[in-house]
Amino acid sequence: MKKSLQEDWNQKYASSLQTKLGWYEEDPAPSLAYIERCGLPKDAPILDVGSGMTTLISKLIDGGYQNIFAADISNIALEKARSLLSEEQQPHVRWIVDDIAHSTEIQNLEGIALWHDRAVFHFLTKDENRQAYLSLLQKVVKHGGHVIMATFALTGATHCSGFPVQGYSVDTLTKFMGEGFKLIEAMDYIYQMPSGDSRPYIYTHFERV
Ligand SMILES: C[S@@+](CC[C@H](N)C(=O)[O-])C[C@H]1O[C@@H](n2cnc3c(N)ncnc32)[C@H](O)[C@@H]1O
């Protein structure tokens, strides 16, 4: 794990309230809609990479999902996210501190039915890190499993939180995923930041074939 990257993200989470984070969603409706359409059994293993302090985890548990992994490079984000869950919610989540581009922990998972990534993959601006991400995904997601990725659009910001980002179109992301993944659906989406600014995203749903 890149300690400096972890420290940078830890600093952001240590110094901000959940609702003030530049990527906060009170209602992660686009992700929830995509996840519901996967038609998964409620005990299917779901992995949210770069989970941070997302409200998605709590909403998934409230929706009946019981087998959730939340992974992030920031241990502080995950500690704070955990503290926001009720005692009844907590047993349904396992927390994994790991770097998706240099994994030592996520790589031990197998049979993941759904990989969800909102606003994480676009931070991988080096080809070697993107390839490591794809290899990890292929290792842990089962055949017939689902991959939902929401990234900045090509027309989006070039930086986020001080980090450079790589935007995507549905075509460029589908090309990157390669022949092992079938595009099921995709959409453009405009995210409104807490500051009021807009960020154009693409949402994609692939199936591992
Ligand atoms: C913009 S935030 C999105 C958080 C969450 N997915 C959401 O929608 O609220 C990006 C997240 O990716 C995490 N992250 C960045 N680089 C990472 C890496 N290499 N490995 C794992 N997590 C990473 C950060 O700590 C942060 O929580």
Side-chain angles (χ1 to χ4, degrees):
M1 172 167 331
K2 290 243 163 82
K3 279 284 169 203
S4 57
L5 188 62
Q6 184 184 48
E7 280 162 16
D8 284 348
W9 281 103
N10 268 345
Q11 212 169 38
K12 292 181 202 306
Y13 281 106
S15 61
S16 180
L17 288 174
Q18 181 199 37
T19 52
K20 300 288 181 209
L21 292 166
W23 49 91
Y24 172 71
E25 282 181 306
E26 184 180 348
D27 180 6
S31 293
L32 285 171
Y34 268 54
I35 292 170
E36 274 305 296
R37 285 198 290 277
C38 293
L40 296 171
K42 297 294 186 185
D43 62 352
I46 294 176
L47 170 64
D48 186 34
V49 294
S51 197
M53 293 184 72
T54 179
T55 50
L56 178 67
I57 301 299
S58 170
K59 300 274 185 190
L60 286 175
I61 300 167
D62 292 347
Y65 294 97
Q66 302 151 11
N67 194 2
I68 302 165
F69 297 88
D72 202 283
I73 198 166
S74 167
N75 55 301
I76 291 185
L78 296 185
E79 283 156 22
K80 288 177 95 171
R82 183 180 193 168
S83 73
L84 293 176
L85 296 184
S86 68
E87 267 182 38
E88 293 73 35
Q89 289 177 315
Q90 289 192 7
H92 301 300
V93 190
R94 275 164 282 179
W95 308 91
I96 302 175
V97 179
D98 200 12
D99 180 342
I100 37 163
H102 305 88
S103 176
T104 56
E105 304 299 323
I106 298 171
Q107 63 162 0
N108 298 320
L109 300 176
E110 55 186 24
I112 292 296
L114 167 65
W115 170 292
H116 177 267
D117 170 337
R118 171 180 176 263
V120 188
F121 177 67
H122 58 217
F123 286 106
L124 304 183
T125 53
K126 286 189 184 158
D127 195 44
E128 69 205 60
N129 289 343
R130 287 191 288 260
Q131 290 306 326
Y133 178 103
L134 188 58
S135 299
L136 182 64
L137 200 161
Q138 284 167 329
K139 186 163 193 289
V140 306
V141 175
K142 68 177 189 179
H143 288 277
H146 302 268
V147 178
I148 294 171
M149 291 171 71
T151 75
F152 279 170
L154 273 180
T155 52
T158 57
H159 283 73
C160 175
S161 291
F163 297 107
V165 293
Q166 170 67 58
Y168 293 88
S169 66
V170 175
D171 281 351
T172 59
L173 191 56
T174 304
K175 198 168 165 210
F176 169 78
M177 295 298 283
E179 290 186 352
F181 294 88
K182 183 170 106 188
L183 182 68
I184 306 293
E185 63 173 322
M187 67 171 182
D188 295 327
Y189 180 78
I190 303 291
Y191 165 65
Q192 300 285 344
M193 298 168 70
S195 63
D197 287 354
S198 306
R199 289 280 180 271
Y201 274 72
I202 58 162
Y203 275 74
T204 55
H205 172 193
F206 298 93
E207 186 183 320
R208 185 163 188 215
V209 290

